[in-house]
Amino acid sequence: MSEIKFFHPIEVRYGDLDPQGHLNNAKYLTYFEQARIRYFIELDLFQVGQSFMDVGVIMAEAGVTFHAPVEYGTPVKAGVKTSSLGNKSMRVEQNIVHAESGDVLASGYVILVAFDYHAQKTIPVPDEMREKISKFEGLQV
């Protein structure tokens, strides 16, 4: 995975654990989602209090590779990097890293599709989104 510039701190809560005392597998996608929302806020593509119906993306695919267990109290942060922009979709690389050592505890990706929730159909990636992500990530527009 290429260098990630955006990270969001995450608190591992007791309720996020499975019976073995490790972070539940499903929570990794929740942590990825939390970081993606903060990424969109950072890039001024979403505002706190704005309707999620106006975010304009829907998840089409996700994958996670687990590298090491995460336990209660482990200081972690979730990284986000848009690695490619297509006509209607984007690939977002994500990871969960130990906030102090930088060790990668999990890595993954999501494919987001530009979506008009009001019309219930896919749309081209909006120009504003394409421009802001490309500028932040250094992608060719």
Side-chain angles (χ1 to χ4, degrees):
M1 184 182 308
S2 57
E3 183 181 341
I4 292 179
K5 297 186 266 184
F6 180 85
F7 287 92
H8 178 65
I10 305 284
E11 178 184 359
V12 179
R13 301 172 306 164
Y14 179 79
D16 292 345
L17 306 178
D18 62 20
Q20 293 76 34
H22 300 126
L23 183 62
N24 182 286
N25 295 342
K27 293 297 180 179
Y28 288 83
L29 289 175
T30 300
Y31 289 6
F32 282 2
E33 181 181 56
Q34 282 182 256
R36 275 196 317 277
I37 294 298
R38 296 306 305 184
Y39 174 82
F40 285 138
I41 290 169
E42 177 74 18
L43 296 181
D44 196 30
L45 294 169
F46 181 70
Q47 313 297 315
V48 174
Q50 181 179 356
S51 170
F52 283 96
M53 297 293 285
D54 297 328
V55 173
V57 293
I58 193 168
M59 187 187 305
E61 184 178 328
V64 180
T65 301
F66 305 99
H67 301 281
V70 174
E71 299 172 335
Y72 178 72
T74 302
V76 298
K77 58 186 179 178
V80 182
K81 177 182 182 52
T82 303
S83 58
S84 64
L85 287 164
N87 180 42
K88 290 187 173 186
S89 66
M90 62 188 77
R91 182 179 178 94
V92 180
E93 306 289 337
Q94 297 204 243
N95 64 18
I96 304 292
V97 301
H98 193 286
E100 295 167 357
S101 71
D103 292 339
V104 177
L105 305 170
S107 58
Y109 72 94
V110 297
I111 304 296
L112 300 177
V113 174
F115 194 77
D116 181 331
Y117 281 93
H118 302 286
Q120 290 292 296
K121 65 178 186 174
T122 62
I123 59 172
V125 174
D127 290 340
E128 177 187 23
M129 181 176 281
R130 182 179 299 282
E131 290 167 11
K132 288 180 177 182
I133 290 172
S134 295
K135 181 179 179 183
F136 182 80
E137 300 292 2
L139 298 173
Q140 298 293 335
V141 180

